Amino acid sequence: MNPMDTELHQAVAAWDETGWPRPRVVLVSGSGLAVDLGDPGGRESDLADWLPFETHQIEGHPLKVQLLTADPGRPVLYLKGRLHSYQGYDAHQTVFTIRLAAKLGARVLIMTNAAGGLRRDQRPGDLMLIRDQINLTGLNPLRGELPADWGPRFPDMTEPYSGRLRALARDIARDSGIRIGQGTYAAVAGPSYETSAEVAMLRRSGADMVGMSTALEIIAARHMGLECMALSVITNLAPGVGSGGVSHEEVLQEGKEASARLQSLLAALLAEVSLIESKRRPRA
Ligand code: HPA
């Protein structure tokens, strides 16, 4: 068996040993964007417990796993914090939890991230649904020989972000009086923020926001057939778009300020998506 497949099988077996039900929906929160979605009732552990490799933590990323069962029968796997390639993880390690969720039977992936705004009409604190992505990380989690049952060798990426889920999120935002835009997310390797020249290039390439995460997970999730949605919080304007520079502290602070809106939007979205998913048959 492929070693990565063995690791995944072991993680699935470890999950089943906990007695936790298997999730149909997985939510991943980004830098400083962890929200409180209810008491996991003891179903919480360190993300590191699930990974077959060493992890290290950075500020703003608590790296916890929760199984939310507020709605019995419709459990949601909540990954509070993610791994980034700039921390030194390779592309396969970065997406391990997504593949685990897929193997556990998750059908829908929802992600949040912090991003720099590339448009002059954006303001820190704005919420943007990701409509499409440009993967500029130089990495791809599908490189190498992967087990055929994970997904196709050359997956279609015509609609990486589900139109159906975006429409649902927009409806919920409108009903809750939350302003939300849509745009293309450029994923860069980081960890240095962009130069003004890089920002000018990204703007010309049609990107609306830039960040250091999400794109690899979306590729892995689409490969395994998950329906995906992601939401960026504009935490700063990129150099040359706004005045002044970018700092990690500013990114975390703006994320915190957006978290109330994010929390109500995600809670409503999860309830809606879980309900829809519970009516669908499990994937074969
Ligand atoms: N660039 C890249 N990643 C980011 C930014 C940014 O300006 N803000 C938050 N994450």
Side-chain angles (χ1 to χ4, degrees):
M1 194 187 259
N2 177 305
M4 287 190 292
D5 217 17
T6 307
E7 289 173 349
L8 270 185
H9 274 93
Q10 284 166 350
V12 168
W15 179 279
D16 286 340
E17 261 171 43
T18 64
W20 297 2
R22 289 181 171 209
R24 296 292 290 275
V25 176
V26 53
L27 169 70
V28 182
S29 57
S31 303
L33 300 179
V35 292
D36 183 1
L37 292 167
D39 182 359
R43 293 191 176 111
E44 180 178 74
S45 69
D46 288 340
L47 181 64
D49 296 345
W50 299 99
L51 304 175
F53 49 87
E54 287 281 302
T55 56
H56 28 266
Q57 201 168 322
I58 63 162
E59 197 195 340
H61 301 84
L63 299 179
K64 292 278 180 198
V65 173
Q66 294 184 342
L67 188 76
L68 303 172
T69 49
D71 201 349
R74 299 200 262 274
V76 173
L77 172 59
Y78 182 18
L79 302 168
K80 276 185 145 175
R82 58 154 65 85
L83 307 182
H84 300 82
S85 59
Y86 64 72
Q87 293 171 279
Y89 300 110
D90 68 30
H92 293 289
Q93 292 173 328
T94 305
V95 305
F96 184 86
T97 49
I98 303 302
R99 288 180 171 149
L100 173 58
K103 283 282 176 194
L104 288 170
R107 304 277 301 253
V108 171
L109 168 65
I110 299 174
M111 310 192 96
T112 64
N113 63 38
L118 294 171
R119 287 198 336 226
R120 299 223 158 83
D121 63 350
Q122 290 169 330
R123 296 288 167 266
D126 281 359
L127 299 183
M128 296 284 291
L129 278 167
I130 304 184
R131 186 192 289 126
D132 206 345
Q133 69 182 30
I134 304 175
N135 176 19
L136 297 170
T137 64
L139 302 170
N140 193 305
L142 309 187
R143 277 189 65 163
E145 281 308 309
L146 301 183
D149 69 335
W150 286 13
R153 173 75 290 193
F154 301 106
D156 176 43
M157 291 292 281
T158 311
E159 194 187 73
Y161 297 89
S162 156
R164 182 184 79 101
L165 293 179
R166 278 185 283 125
L168 193 59
R170 283 161 70 100
D171 285 350
I172 292 170
R174 194 194 47 236
D175 293 349
S176 325
I178 296 172
R179 213 161 54 92
I180 197 166
Q182 276 200 81
T184 295
Y185 176 84
V188 294
S192 47
Y193 289 113
E194 296 66 45
T195 64
S196 300
E198 287 163 347
V199 169
M201 180 202 75
L202 291 170
R203 280 165 55 83
R204 278 197 298 273
S205 70
D208 301 293
M209 51 262 187
V210 55
M212 304 174 193
S213 69
T214 305
L216 302 184
E217 291 105 309
I218 296 296
I219 291 171
R222 292 300 302 138
H223 176 232
M224 295 182 94
L226 276 73
E227 193 177 357
C228 300
M229 198 205 96
L231 197 56
S232 289
V233 176
I234 302 297
T235 51
N236 57 281
L237 295 181
V241 179
S243 54
V246 189
S247 74
H248 187 51
E249 290 66 37
E250 174 193 10
V251 167
L252 292 179
Q253 184 55 35
E254 280 298 336
K256 238 182 238 158
E257 288 180 23
S259 71
R261 274 173 298 144
L262 209 51
Q263 185 157 321
S264 67
L265 188 59
L266 288 174
L269 191 64
L270 281 174
E272 198 71 37
V273 170
S274 299
L275 184 64
I276 296 167
E277 279 307 305
S278 68
K279 292 180 182 153
R280 274 167 58 169
R281 287 193 314 138
R283 205 151 34 114

